Amino acid sequence: MTDPRLGGRQLRRVVFDQQAIARRVEGLGAEITASYPSGDLLVLGLLKGSFVFLADLVRAIARPLEVDFVVAASYGSGKTSSGSVRLAYDPATLLEGKHVLLVEDIVDSGLTLATIVQLLSARRPRSLEICTFLHKRAGEQLRYPVRFVGFDAPNEFLVGYGLDHAENFRHLPYIASLQ
Ligand code: PRP
């Protein structure tokens, strides 16, 4: 596989290609549209990883909505979560009384979302739901239900479509596993 975006790095395999991603995002958009018949909807992206998915997803949702972001990052730049989440940006948008849809690229241990959900719940949103493009179903950390899931993900280190390894590969238009 020779993709100039990779800078010579080898991938193991493409897990979800562009067509599969586009089809699933359209499906998720339709599900979300149908799930919110009324009320203010705030789509809240968890940066950085969600930025590509969020950009596609909001364009597949056929109803009024607002967009804002939360920055949550786990410490370290290795391949595994370090077990500690920090909040680097807190949204200025009011959450109270709104349907809040938290958008993630991937749930792995669930630690990131567990922390963020706890924080945002205290702001009295009308509802708080999670949409993740990929779910590894690997962790015990998240007790909160994940309402919208793009795909169950294999237990491999995945990059692309927003997902990075040491800040590389976020711009791949497909999702792949690294060697
Ligand atoms: C990644 C990913 C999720 C989180 C998932 O973020 O985007 O937010 O890890 O792992 P968890 O379920 O084990 O918490 P990361 O902290 O690497 O930051 P990034 O979004 O800036 O890539």
Side-chain angles (χ1 to χ4, degrees), residues 56-145:
D56 287 344
L57 182 68
V58 292
R59 286 177 289 174
I61 299 173
R63 75 173 324 277
L65 57 79
E66 286 178 79
V67 176
D68 208 337
F69 298 93
V70 182
V71 178
S74 46
Y75 289 102
S77 60
K79 286 191 178 184
T80 53
S81 295
S82 61
S84 173
V85 175
R86 69 191 157 90
L87 189 62
Y89 171 74
D90 200 351
T93 311
L94 193 72
L95 271 57
E96 188 165 350
K98 293 177 183 167
H99 294 297
V100 175
L101 181 63
L102 255 177
V103 175
E104 253 294 24
D105 52 344
I106 188 165
V107 180
D108 189 348
S109 72
L111 181 71
T112 307
L113 277 177
T115 306
I116 300 304
V117 158
Q118 198 177 21
L119 190 96
L120 299 182
S121 294
R123 301 183 188 181
R124 305 163 61 89
R126 180 167 166 187
S127 68
L128 179 59
E129 302 286 359
I130 295 167
C131 175
T132 187
F133 193 60
L134 301 176
H135 200 328
K136 280 199 170 173
R137 304 193 188 279
E140 307 297 318
Q141 305 279 351
L142 183 65
R143 290 191 189 87
Y144 205 84

Side-chain angles (χ1 to χ4, degrees), residues 30-50:
E31 278 177 53
I32 291 165
T33 302
S35 298
Y36 293 99
S38 64
D40 293 334
L41 175 62
L42 171 63
V43 179
L44 208 50
L46 272 157
L47 293 176
K48 299 180 195 173
S50 72

